[in-house]
């Protein structure tokens, strides 16, 4: 885990201005969900899931130093949003299940962007990567 944090800090340090906006979806959603009933917190997370996915996809392109084609972006954002919604629904009552779910299929965004796969192939590849460890 320390290596992941160190690499993230190194990446963000070299591309500070490009990375600054990546935290905006969380910075906006967090105050909206703070001190609300569980159903409303889940609704905020679901509503913001496309923006969370967009920030994740942009982070993947910053890290990979490539600009994927438009189709890859559409697949990545669409699949990432669909993958995040079940995690958002379980975050309030069973965080470990949400983490396990994202660990299994959360690779769908970088796979769709970097490998330019279609939706079904991207999900298969993400599950393959998620099961690797």
């Amino acid at each position: 885990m320390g290596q992941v944090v160190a690499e993230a800090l190194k990446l963000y340090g070299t591309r500070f201005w490009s990375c600054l906006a990546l935290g905006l979806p969380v910075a906006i959603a967090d105050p909206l969900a703070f001190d609300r009933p569980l159903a409303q917190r889940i609704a905020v997370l679901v509503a913001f899931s496309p923006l969370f996915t967009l920030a994740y996809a942009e982070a993947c392109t910053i890290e990979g130093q490539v600009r994927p084609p438009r189709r890859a972006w559409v697949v990545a954002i669409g699949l990432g949003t669909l993958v995040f919604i079940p995690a958002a629904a379980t975050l309030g009552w069973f965080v470990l299940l949400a983490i396990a779910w994202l660990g299994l299929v959360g690779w769908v965004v970088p796979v769709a962007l970097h490998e330019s796969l279609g939706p079904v192939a991207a999900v298969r590849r993400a599950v393959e990567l998620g099961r690797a460890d």
Side-chain angles (χ1 to χ4, degrees):
M1 188 61 149
Q3 184 66 31
V4 171
V5 172
E7 289 296 322
L9 290 174
K10 183 174 135 184
L11 175 69
Y12 295 156
T14 59
R15 294 173 186 85
F16 177 76
W17 295 109
S18 300
C19 297
L20 190 60
L22 296 177
L24 284 177
V26 173
I28 295 168
D30 191 48
L32 293 174
F34 183 73
D35 206 24
R36 304 254 184 197
L38 178 60
Q40 289 178 4
R41 287 195 313 257
I42 291 171
V44 169
L45 290 175
V46 169
F48 275 79
S49 62
L51 295 175
F52 295 148
T53 304
L54 180 62
Y56 181 28
E58 183 60 28
C60 291
T61 61
I62 290 170
E63 182 275 329
Q65 300 177 357
V66 295
R67 289 316 274 178
R70 183 180 307 252
R71 181 181 184 280
W73 276 96
V74 170
V75 170
I77 301 299
L79 287 177
T81 299
L82 290 175
V83 162
F84 185 75
I85 288 173
T90 59
L91 270 176
W93 56 275
F94 195 20
V95 175
L96 291 178
L97 180 61
I99 292 169
W101 171 252
L102 291 176
L104 180 64
V105 293
W107 289 100
V108 74
V109 172
V111 163
L113 290 171
H114 292 300
E115 298 182 18
S116 295
L117 299 174
V120 174
V123 171
R124 282 188 186 136
R125 176 74 171 134
V127 170
E128 180 183 329
L129 290 171
R131 293 180 55 183
D133 284 332

